[in-house]
Amino acid sequence: MSGPTDPKRLSERTRLVVGGRKPSEQFGFVNTPIYRGSTVLYPTYEELQARRQRFVYGTYGTPTTQALEQAWSDISGAAGTVIVPSGLAAIVVALQSCLKAGDHLLVPDSVYRPTRNYCDGVLKRFGVETTYYDPLVGAGIGDLMRPNTTAVFTEAPGSQSFEMQDIPAIAEVAHKHGAVVLMDNTWATPLYFPPHERGVDLAIEAGTKYLGGHSDILMGLVTANERCWKPLRQTFDAMAIGAGPEDHFLALRGLRTMKLRLDEAQRQGMAMAEWLAARPEVKTLLHPAFPSHPGHNIWKRDFKGASGLFSVILHPVSQKALAAFLDGLELFGMGYSWGGYESLVVPFDCSTYRTATTWNPGGTALRFQIGLEDVVDLQADLAAGFERMKAAS
Ligand SMILES: *Cc1c(COP(=O)(O)O)cnc(C)c1O
């Protein structure tokens, strides 16, 4: 195998397999090995002075890092990628690469909550003002732009509550004002939403979720288009917040099967969502791939698929009945994060911290992550939970 001469001509599935690998340069071994290291040696004084070497010091990455950066940039249609130790760190690096003291930032009210904490805490302390906006604002974002609005953050669908944002409409208006458009694209991943084709300048992915895929790593990736690549890379280099070499290796391993796992998560997720929506206990399904979702048309227009994460609103139940449902589950784990092979459920309530919109779903909210178990077993687990819930009501 000599490797592809023009990877851009290959289909996405093939690029996931061949990206970031050069067996001929690694003694024939199929996978790029784990390079560990701080010091990188220079062969001569002249080379040291010239700083021409691709690798100069561990904080700027190793060949393992570079393999993942290149593969991810290729899949994302990006000018470049930086890789950091968590999804939240990716959000932080992306924002710091395009903001300075005195700037104004727009953030959707439905944003991943730790992003909000960062904006209201650290960013505020460094002189950046954040305004939260209705995620459904679309082109109306123009009314919120100020002369010092330098960045518009987006996330689609919204964390936990699944509001679907019109990213192209927001990007068009933001760009007219000269602002940078950022997107937390963790839910769809670049496989189901090509961020830079849709107008996003800086795209964030929590690699912790579907890239890792096994609930065993923490990682964040930021991709940039040509406009934002240089400031992103410079910000990353200045802060030295690279992920660890084992995690790069595990992410590269995850990349090979990511399309298979994501397609299966979509199928399994839709099967479970349909089953849940038909249950008498369920009041509303929040899944953008279903026509009942208010953002369905945007999803159909802009997205190529749906991952295995969605929410439901139950008809109101007591805390005791909810505990009876959750505590006896045998297959669904209760915990944060998602994108692994195992199913999860968490109750949530956005009403206490939203500021631009009101969250009042009229019932008890649950977020489901559907893994790779057999849906028959998953349905039986939830059905038994609903029986316990009824008995405790
Ligand atoms: C999990 C998540 C993150 C953060 O990823 P971590 O690696 O857990 O820090 C960011 N955005 C979204 C939408 C997430 O679900």
Side-chain angles (χ1 to χ4, degrees), residues 86-89 91 112 155 159 184 186 206 208-209 218-219 337-338:
S86 71
L88 184 56
I91 291 161
Y112 176 63
E155 182 176 335
S159 245
D184 185 333
T186 300
T208 306
K209 310 291 165 56
L218 289 162
M219 175 174 285
S337 211
W338 46 277

Side-chain angles (χ1 to χ4, degrees), residues 122-146:
V122 178
L123 272 189
K124 187 173 175 206
R125 192 150 50 76
F126 281 81
V128 174
E129 187 189 348
T130 301
T131 300
Y132 294 95
Y133 66 89
D134 180 343
L136 305 181
V137 72
I141 195 86
D143 297 337
L144 303 171
M145 307 279 308
R146 303 178 193 167

Side-chain angles (χ1 to χ4, degrees), residues 17-359:
V17 170
V18 301
R21 286 192 308 120
K22 291 208 182 73
S24 60
E25 293 173 18
Q26 53 212 33
F27 306 99
F29 282 89
V30 167
N31 290 295
T32 304
I34 296 176
Y35 285 84
R36 303 193 60 92
S38 49
T39 303
V40 182
L41 300 177
Y42 297 80
T44 62
Y45 174 65
E46 194 199 330
E47 283 294 319
L48 184 76
Q49 295 297 98
R51 286 188 133 253
R52 224 183 292 114
Q53 265 178 207
R54 168 59 187 86
F55 300 102
V56 296
Y57 186 61
T59 54
Y60 305 108
T62 69
T64 319
T65 322
Q66 179 181 260
L68 181 57
E69 286 170 354
Q70 286 178 348
W72 193 254
S73 294
D74 178 44
I75 286 302
S76 304
T81 301
V82 299
I83 303 164
V84 294
S86 71
L88 184 56
I91 291 161
V92 167
V93 171
L95 283 168
Q96 293 203 2
S97 76
C98 61
L99 289 169
K100 61 184 184 310
D103 283 354
H104 176 235
L105 165 70
L106 288 168
V107 173
D109 213 20
S110 52
V111 77
Y112 176 63
R113 197 174 175 189
T115 305
R116 199 176 186 108
N117 294 343
Y118 170 72
C119 294
D120 294 345
V122 178
L123 272 189
K124 187 173 175 206
R125 192 150 50 76
F126 281 81
V128 174
E129 187 189 348
T130 301
T131 300
Y132 294 95
Y133 66 89
D134 180 343
L136 305 181
V137 72
I141 195 86
D143 297 337
L144 303 171
M145 307 279 308
R146 303 178 193 167
N148 64 335
T149 307
T150 45
V152 177
F153 199 92
T154 63
E155 182 176 335
S159 245
Q160 301 184 310
S161 46
F162 290 86
E163 294 88 345
M164 190 45 89
Q165 293 206 267
D166 189 337
I167 304 292
I170 291 173
E172 195 187 334
V173 175
H175 286 154
K176 269 195 200 126
H177 285 77
V180 167
V181 176
L182 302 96
M183 180 187 184
D184 185 333
N185 193 29
T186 300
W187 182 79
T189 84
L191 300 185
Y192 284 169
F193 184 89
H196 302 297
E197 271 177 39
R198 303 274 188 271
V200 174
D201 299 300
L202 289 164
I204 292 133
E205 181 73 23
T208 306
K209 310 291 165 56
Y210 283 111
L211 175 57
H214 294 74
S215 306
D216 55 4
I217 64 167
L218 289 162
M219 175 174 285
L221 305 96
V222 189
T223 56
N225 58 12
E226 286 296 344
R227 176 189 179 196
C228 291
W229 169 235
K230 217 169 152 189
L232 174 66
R233 184 73 212 194
Q234 281 170 348
T235 304
F236 170 83
D237 284 346
M239 297 198 291
I241 37 172
E246 273 82 9
D247 291 344
H248 290 127
F249 182 86
L250 287 171
L252 277 164
R253 170 193 274 222
L255 187 75
R256 310 303 173 200
T257 57
M258 188 171 157
K259 176 90 171 95
L260 298 178
R261 289 183 287 103
L262 204 55
D263 287 351
E264 191 58 17
Q266 166 166 253
R267 249 190 308 278
Q268 297 259 108
M270 290 187 68
M272 289 304 293
E274 201 174 334
W275 181 84
L276 275 161
R279 290 285 312 190
E281 297 85 356
V282 173
K283 181 174 171 287
T284 318
L285 169 68
L286 303 175
H287 191 313
F290 285 77
S292 60
H293 191 276
H296 178 66
N297 287 337
I298 294 178
W299 176 80
K300 225 161 86 178
R301 185 192 66 192
D302 294 344
F303 288 67
K304 300 174 183 175
S307 60
L309 188 80
F310 62 89
S311 292
V312 302
I313 310 300
L314 304 178
H315 292 291
V317 290
S318 68
Q319 290 294 103
K320 186 169 150 256
L322 180 63
F325 173 81
L326 294 169
D327 290 347
L329 293 171
E330 292 180 352
L331 297 177
F332 280 85
M334 189 168 33
Y336 295 102
S337 211
W338 46 277
Y341 53 81
E342 81 290 12
S343 292
L344 301 170
V345 60
V346 273
F348 68 93
D349 176 11
C350 313
S351 66
T352 55
Y353 56 87
R354 296 223 170 154
T355 52
T357 55
T358 310
W359 166 256

